[in-house]
Amino acid sequence: MIRSGTLILHVAARLLMPLQLLFSVFLLLRGHDEPGGGFIAGLVASGAFALYLFAFGPRATRQMLRVAPQDLIGLGLCLGVISALPAWWQGQPFLTAQWWTIPWIDFKFSTPLIFDIGVYLVVQGSVLIAVLALMEGDSEEVSHD
Amino acid sequence: MEPLMALAIGILYATAIYMMLRRSIVKLVIGLMLLSNAANLLIFASAGMRRGAPPLVPEGATAPLGLVADPLPQALVLTAIVIAFGVLSFAVVLIRRAYEIVKADDLDQMKDTDT
Amino acid sequence: MQFAVLGGFVLAAFAPLLHRWFGERTGWVLALLPGALLLWLLGQLPTVVAGETLVFEQAWVPGLEITLTFLLDGLSLLFALLISGIGVLVLIYASGYLKGHPDLVRFHVVILAFMMSMLGLVLADNLVSLFVFWELTSITSYLLIGFNHTDLEARKSALQGLFVTVGGGLALLAGLILLALAGDSWSLQELTGRGELLRGHDLYLPILLCLLAGAFTKSAQFPFHFWLPNAMAAPTPVSAYLHSATMVKAGVYLLARLSPALGGTPAWEAWLCLIGALTMLTGAFLALRHTNIKKLLAYSTVMALGTLTLLLGIGSEQAMVAFATFLLAHSLYKGALFMVAGILDHETGTKDIALMGGLRRVMPVTALCAAVAALSLGGVIPLFGFVAKELLFAAAWEGGWRDLLLPATLIAAILTLAAAAIVGIRPFFGERRELPRDPHEGPGTMLLGPVLLAGLSLLLGLWPGAAEGLVAATASSVGGAPVAASLYLWHGINGPLLLSLVSLALGLLLFRHWARWRAALRPLEPLIQRGPEALYFRLMDALVEVAEWQTRLLQNGYMRNYLVMMLLVLVGLTGVTLFARHELHLAVALDVQLHEALVVGLMVAGAVMACVLRARLAAVASVGVMGFCIALTFVLFSAPDLGITQLLVETLTVILLILVLFRLPRFARLSSPLERVRDLVVAAATGGLMTLLILQVVSIDPFSSISDYMVANSQPLGHGHNIVNVILVDFRALDTLGEMFVLALAAIGVFAMLRFHAGEYETRDRQARGEVVDD
């Protein structure tokens, strides 16, 4: 149904995907101060992968991803849970935000950031699973018919 | 603005429910999409709508200048949008699988568990 | 302390990994944790005996006053010592008993989780955490009773135990909430100080009854006693641990813990004495009916639990001391006896005592342990059980309800002595008989437990002063005021001693005529058959029938019927409330700019077109139009984050639908005009209600919003300028975490369907190639 392999799409996907991914990381990191954040960044990143998927097909996308989408979800959930724990160690209630400033690059590292990265990964993984599942279902049937 | 929005949301709900009551499964999916959007708007509009005052704190300040839109419903709706997408993808894959097995577009033909 | 207990759960999760490293020795490795706990607890003994209460504070959900604070006073310490001490022995014992069992890993995981739940239960100070641990013990014990899950009987018994204890757990939850409301605190420590207030409260009786229902089901009190003997389907180490020393005592623990807060009233006394005495007699009578050694011991446990309840009911200082002593003594000898029963079963291949005999020559150590523990069970001098029994008689002698309780205690003591003689003498003396297996002495791992426990029974009997401190501390926390305890083996010749002698003589007589006694009880069989257990089964059948009936009625398989029913109820209830309870404030001030009206108009048009259009692609496109208009609305009304999210999701939705649309059927017109009209009416009613609801909500302001707090503190507390994001990842991060899990679940569902997909194609493939598919 969907023909992967037109030239323009190929070139566009190759050029745009890294940019989109970079942009998604940018959105993720600035999310605490300006519009953005884990959900939006995750959607942008999965949009990037979806573009690649359309251009090169599911098999190439899986190879490019290297990790399975379900592992992304698992990792994201783990990060979400892990970010809840440092507060406990400090004797504060579960999930209280902790902030550490890394002085030489003037970057504020915090548990909400870890949490947001978890969100980012879960969103990406979920979207990818669904899109890949539907694409692969199609290509399988095509090869059978 | 709210009365107009209320009317629009009411119509959205009505269309969603009408579609969900059809026997065709594709229409059910469309109804599901309409419903989630209507619900998101409902939460968003219930808190009151405000023009041009996003809930952002300006650089260097500790609190927003003047009144801003209510951030809490926005946070709720934001996750709801993404989750609605997750549910939609689940529903789409599910009905596709179901259609492949049952080969019927009619929900009434799917009512037995052993087909 | 919290870390030790919670770390135990983590250790349980890692038990399978440890199995890979240590193989058969894993039991020993796992035993290190309760062993370390035991040593630590012993180190705290002097402090607690001196009358101090150790408190380990830890917040959990401070907003709801839920803490994970642990409390170590005499009562908790006694229980914790028993749990960790017998826990060590049981882990080691099980590595012999279940040697080579394919599911040994599962056993270790569950028993460790159980051990930690039980420790949490006896240490918890907060009512909610107490309840959580309580339910955890129910669930883990369910898994342990049903350990041999291929056995129908085991599964049935496990489910029965679960139903009874969890059913009681529900009552307990209600009772605990009422208790917290009445006493205005969730902390046990504070509640025990508010006894006056609670006993005089209007809710006292409901609280008491709910809590008793929870405690009685857990501790197998009459009429819920039937699940405990059935739970003997579990492997013997489990029986030794859960059904004698720990879990079944949880109910008794709860009653003891709450006795300073709720005890001492006529209602408390009446319920506890009556049910306790009834349970005691039921257990003692039914024990002698059985020749299965585990059942016999189980009923004698029922008897012991009844005795403990009875002592709490009496509530005098004497009774408190007797309670603590009896609890300790019972755990020691019953643990030992169950382990002996396991050795017998393991070595002889049968659980039937009537088939055993003369085993003392082949199993001398086992025989010795059995004899010592049984003497303690029977309350024979010079064992610790005797000290406990003397105190029991003394408490019954001096407490209220004497005319009823003293004879009951005496009868129970006679019957128990007979049971003890059966267990301690019957298998080991007399002539050898044919057995399914050729018996020899059990392995060292299995003997360690009974030897130590029986040894302690003897040691504490000869030197009861050693336990005085612990007993006094326990009695003090049960009584709510300092109690002095002095334990002696020899009290001089007094009433209790005479009663002991009488019970000894009559009990031995009964033992001589055990077979005749069983024959004599046979006519009572129909009565026992119709006991509370029959009621339980009838209740279960009725439950299934009701479920079938309501399924036929409501779950008829037509989705639109469900929807219509739900919607009509929703519209009806909400509509009535809206019109009858509130005045309608309709804000009709229209303040709309042209471009806004256009966007909203396009949005509505998109939604309506999606319903009207006959082509799928066009319908999806118009839903897309609506989605983009919604995104615009978000942007126009100060929600940039929402606008971006909606836009992205709309794009991904289009991709998703394009992928799937052409594999789905075309729209079909399946309904008649009449049905369409009906659906239109339902849809219009719901939509109209929603409109009214919004108009109402925006014009009244029933609550002060919590958003102001978030707006004001986003930067100072959350260090973020985007308030929406701060709410998502900081203020309400727990919600977001939950939503992440929802998303993950949906994705896992998709993934599972995908896998199923692939498998089926494979099968079809093989069929196509002409291979035989075994389906």
Side-chain angles (χ1 to χ4, degrees):
Chain A
M1 166 194 69
I2 294 156
R3 256 174 241 293
S4 49
T6 62
L7 184 65
I8 297 175
L9 195 58
H10 268 195
V11 174
R14 263 190 215 291
L15 284 178
L16 282 179
M17 200 195 65
L19 285 177
Q20 276 177 299
L21 286 181
L22 213 61
F23 184 57
S24 79
V25 174
F26 167 70
L27 280 174
L28 172 70
L29 292 180
R30 75 162 206 169
H32 215 52
D33 291 326
E34 280 167 83
F39 281 102
I40 292 173
L43 289 171
V44 169
S46 35
F49 290 125
L51 181 66
Y52 195 88
L53 184 64
F54 274 85
F56 298 99
R59 185 164 303 166
T61 312
R62 276 194 193 275
Q63 270 171 5
M64 190 262 312
L65 276 172
R66 289 208 182 81
V67 283
Q70 60 269 27
D71 294 350
L72 284 181
I73 296 181
L75 188 64
L77 289 179
C78 282
L79 283 180
V81 174
I82 284 170
S83 77
L85 299 179
W88 226 17
W89 197 259
Q90 300 275 327
Q92 284 166 330
F94 193 69
L95 267 173
T96 310
Q98 305 293 317
W99 291 79
W100 305 277
T101 307
I102 302 173
W104 51 91
I105 50 169
D106 191 30
F107 181 72
K108 281 195 190 130
F109 185 68
S110 63
T111 53
L113 183 63
I114 302 177
F115 189 84
D116 226 8
I117 295 173
V119 173
Y120 175 69
L121 293 177
V122 169
V123 170
Q124 260 182 63
S126 308
V127 178
L128 277 175
I129 279 192
V131 182
L132 275 172
L134 290 171
M135 273 294 257
E136 275 166 359
D138 279 337
S139 49
E140 264 176 61
E141 260 172 85
V142 170
S143 66
H144 281 296
D145 288 344
Chain B
M1 187 61 202
E2 284 87 359
L4 180 64
M5 210 60 209
L7 194 66
I9 293 169
I11 297 173
L12 251 57
Y13 263 103
T15 54
I17 282 158
Y18 181 76
M19 286 304 259
M20 289 180 81
L21 289 173
R22 305 294 89 214
R23 274 161 69 181
S24 157
I25 44 175
V26 184
K27 288 187 175 176
L28 175 72
V29 169
I30 290 180
L32 212 60
M33 288 165 67
L34 292 170
L35 188 73
S36 59
N37 278 312
N40 290 341
L41 277 178
L42 172 79
I43 298 173
F44 183 67
S46 308
M49 299 168 77
R50 198 178 288 277
R51 293 189 187 88
L56 298 170
V57 181
E59 197 65 38
T62 55
L65 309 168
L67 282 175
V68 290
D70 194 341
L72 185 60
Q74 291 192 17
L76 298 180
V77 172
L78 201 151
T79 50
I81 293 173
V82 180
I83 286 181
F85 176 75
V87 172
L88 179 74
S89 62
F90 181 81
V92 160
V93 175
L94 179 70
I95 62 163
R96 205 184 106 166
R97 285 289 300 141
Y99 179 64
E100 277 167 10
I101 294 170
V102 184
K103 290 283 174 214
D105 180 30
D106 187 354
L107 277 172
D108 285 10
Q109 290 178 32
M110 293 189 183
K111 80 187 195 66
D112 296 321
T113 44
D114 47 29
T115 36
Chain C
M1 195 66 216
Q2 281 87 353
F3 278 108
V5 170
L6 297 178
F9 284 109
V10 177
L11 187 64
F14 280 101
L17 199 66
L18 291 175
H19 258 268
R20 216 171 284 166
W21 294 339
F22 297 102
E24 298 268 301
R25 305 226 156 261
T26 317
W28 291 83
V29 178
L30 293 177
L32 288 177
L33 178 76
L37 268 169
L38 179 69
L39 289 179
W40 184 84
L41 287 166
L42 282 173
Q44 308 302 315
L45 192 59
T47 333
V48 173
V49 167
E52 258 184 76
T53 300
L54 298 169
V55 180
F56 305 87
E57 281 188 44
Q58 174 67 53
W60 186 7
V61 193
L64 296 175
E65 284 184 59
I66 299 174
T67 64
L68 206 59
T69 298
F70 281 177
L71 191 72
L72 198 63
D73 63 355
L75 182 64
S76 300
L77 184 64
L78 174 61
F79 268 95
L81 281 173
L82 289 173
I83 292 162
S84 49
I86 301 183
V88 172
L89 298 177
V90 161
L91 274 172
I92 293 169
Y93 180 82
S95 67
Y97 186 83
L98 290 173
K99 194 172 189 155
H101 195 287
D103 287 329
L104 187 60
V105 187
R106 188 154 53 87
F107 175 81
H108 279 145
V109 171
V110 185
I111 199 140
L112 207 60
F114 168 79
M115 205 179 282
M116 295 306 138
S117 325
M118 197 63 210
L119 270 175
L121 170 62
V122 298
L123 292 171
D125 173 55
N126 186 273
L127 295 182
V128 176
S129 43
L130 178 119
F131 179 74
V132 169
F133 285 119
W134 177 283
E135 292 291 277
L136 275 175
T137 62
S138 292
I139 293 166
T140 41
S141 89
Y142 163 71
L143 293 173
L144 286 169
I145 299 172
F147 181 70
N148 295 318
H149 57 87
T150 46
D151 180 11
L152 176 68
E153 207 52 42
R155 289 204 305 272
K156 250 167 86 181
S157 307
L159 205 58
Q160 190 182 50
L162 186 74
F163 271 132
V164 174
T165 50
V166 170
L170 284 178
L172 174 74
L173 179 63
L176 291 178
I177 292 173
L178 287 177
L179 180 66
L181 289 179
D184 193 30
S185 167
W186 291 90
S187 157
L188 279 168
Q189 236 184 327
E190 286 174 22
L191 284 169
T192 43
R194 293 181 192 167
E196 288 292 312
L197 173 75
L198 287 169
R199 282 187 289 267
H201 202 277
D202 288 341
L203 285 174
Y204 176 74
L205 202 62
I207 291 173
L208 184 66
L209 292 181
C210 285
L211 293 177
L212 288 186
F216 284 176
T217 46
K218 192 83 160 182
S219 280
Q221 301 289 311
F222 185 88
F224 307 111
H225 60 276
F226 54 88
W227 75 262
L228 179 59
N230 288 341
M232 292 301 129
T236 307
V238 173
S239 309
Y241 193 45
L242 272 69
H243 303 123
S244 67
T246 56
M247 182 179 104
V248 290
K249 293 215 174 96
V252 174
Y253 165 80
L254 183 77
L255 293 178
R257 175 55 78 205
L258 291 172
S259 113
L262 301 172
T265 61
W268 168 278
E269 208 172 308
W271 276 102
L272 266 68
C273 287
L274 216 65
I275 298 289
L278 210 53
T279 310
M280 182 170 78
L281 290 176
T282 313
F285 265 111
L286 294 181
L288 293 184
R289 264 181 71 227
H290 287 275
T291 57
N292 179 326
I293 185 164
K294 282 184 75 180
K295 291 246 170 178
L296 196 153
L297 287 173
Y299 276 112
S300 102
T301 307
V302 171
M303 171 264 161
L305 293 168
T307 311
L308 288 169
T309 310
L310 171 71
L311 284 169
L312 286 173
I314 294 174
S316 62
E317 254 183 44
Q318 184 93 43
M320 297 302 162
V321 174
F323 171 83
T325 317
F326 192 84
L327 182 73
L328 181 58
H330 175 255
S331 298
L332 295 178
Y333 64 66
K334 198 53 74 64
L337 282 176
F338 264 113
M339 290 185 192
V340 166
I343 297 174
L344 287 175
D345 173 25
H346 196 252
E347 299 301 327
T348 64
T350 176
K351 292 186 181 112
D352 195 338
I353 302 183
L355 297 179
M356 301 176 197
L359 289 170
R360 72 177 187 282
R361 248 155 285 149
V362 283
M363 313 167 80
V365 185
T366 313
L368 190 67
C369 293
V372 171
L375 285 176
S376 190
L377 166 66
V380 180
I381 209 161
L383 288 134
F384 197 47
F386 172 75
V387 180
K389 195 170 75 169
E390 292 287 278
L391 286 167
L392 168 65
F393 279 139
W397 193 287
E398 280 166 22
W401 299 59
R402 183 177 132 179
D403 299 337
L404 182 71
L405 295 185
L406 206 57
T409 327
L410 183 63
I411 294 171
I414 295 168
L415 293 167
T416 307
L417 196 107
I422 291 165
V423 178
I425 299 174
R426 191 61 190 258
F428 302 102
F429 293 85
E431 52 194 280
R432 285 288 300 274
R433 294 167 200 231
E434 273 307 303
L435 286 165
R437 245 178 253 168
D438 186 29
H440 42 77
E441 189 61 272
T445 44
M446 291 174 71
L447 284 173
L448 182 70
V451 167
L452 277 179
L453 292 175
L456 265 176
S457 292
L458 183 63
L459 222 73
L460 287 177
L462 293 172
W463 185 32
E468 248 171 37
L470 186 59
V471 164
T474 309
S476 308
S477 34
V478 180
V483 173
S486 39
L487 306 182
Y488 301 105
L489 191 60
W490 183 248
H491 278 270
I493 297 175
N494 55 7
L497 184 72
L498 290 178
L499 288 179
S500 278
L501 289 178
V502 170
S503 67
L504 188 64
L506 288 177
L508 283 177
L509 193 69
L510 191 56
F511 165 63
R512 305 266 323 162
H513 301 284
W514 183 36
R516 217 177 294 165
W517 167 259
R518 265 184 295 150
L521 278 181
R522 209 149 290 148
L524 289 177
E525 204 76 1
L527 188 71
I528 295 163
Q529 292 295 331
R530 273 190 216 119
E533 190 171 7
L535 199 68
Y536 164 82
F537 284 122
R538 212 170 302 157
L539 203 68
M540 284 293 133
D541 291 344
L543 196 66
V544 171
E545 265 169 40
V546 171
E548 277 175 356
W549 168 78
Q550 75 90 23
T551 308
R552 271 197 306 276
L553 188 73
L554 296 173
Q555 317 260 131
N556 47 21
Y558 294 102
M559 190 172 93
R560 56 176 184 282
N561 285 4
Y562 305 160
L563 269 178
V564 168
M565 212 182 292
M566 283 190 256
L567 288 171
L568 288 182
V569 170
L570 173 85
V571 172
L573 288 182
T574 321
V576 165
T577 319
L578 196 62
F579 287 110
R581 295 259 182 95
H582 298 276
E583 291 170 41
L584 270 184
H585 299 272
L586 298 184
V588 278
L590 261 182
D591 152 38
V592 186
Q593 292 170 10
L594 184 64
H595 64 280
E596 292 164 3
L598 274 176
V599 169
V600 174
L602 200 56
M603 178 169 95
V604 171
V608 174
M609 288 307 276
C611 305
V612 180
L613 286 170
R614 303 285 297 272
R616 292 167 302 171
L617 198 61
V620 168
S622 41
V623 175
V625 168
M626 179 204 67
F628 286 116
C629 287
I630 292 176
L632 261 177
T633 317
F634 286 144
V635 174
L636 286 175
F637 289 93
S638 326
D641 284 289
L642 289 191
I644 302 172
T645 313
Q646 176 81 20
L647 210 64
L648 289 165
V649 162
E650 224 35 72
T651 314
L652 288 169
T653 308
V654 169
I655 292 176
L656 197 73
L657 287 176
I658 285 175
L659 280 176
V660 83
L661 200 64
F662 292 98
R663 311 232 59 95
L664 289 176
R666 290 173 189 291
F667 281 176
R669 186 157 276 216
L670 295 165
S671 49
S672 64
L674 193 68
E675 281 174 318
R676 282 202 291 279
V677 169
R678 181 202 62 186
D679 295 346
L680 262 179
V681 171
V682 174
T686 319
L689 178 80
M690 287 301 168
T691 302
L692 285 180
L693 217 53
I694 300 172
L695 289 176
Q696 177 79 353
V697 166
V698 292
S699 54
I700 57 170
D701 194 10
F703 311 109
S704 66
S705 168
I706 50 170
S707 306
D708 298 336
Y709 169 84
M710 291 167 178
V711 171
N713 288 304
S714 164
Q715 210 283 323
L717 289 183
H719 304 282
H721 293 274
N722 181 359
I723 306 176
V724 174
N725 187 264
V726 173
I727 292 176
L728 280 176
V729 298
D730 196 340
F731 290 146
R732 302 191 64 83
L734 191 62
D735 281 6
T736 314
L737 192 63
E739 277 143 10
M740 279 161 77
F741 276 93
V742 173
L743 205 58
L745 271 179
I748 289 168
V750 171
F751 184 68
M753 283 191 277
L754 168 79
R755 273 294 148 97
F756 181 44
H757 209 124
E760 199 177 73
Y761 275 117
E762 213 172 294
T763 319
R764 208 182 290 168
D765 236 1
R766 281 163 60 199
Q767 272 169 334
R769 271 181 269 134
E771 288 174 25
V772 183
V773 180
D774 42 357
D775 204 352

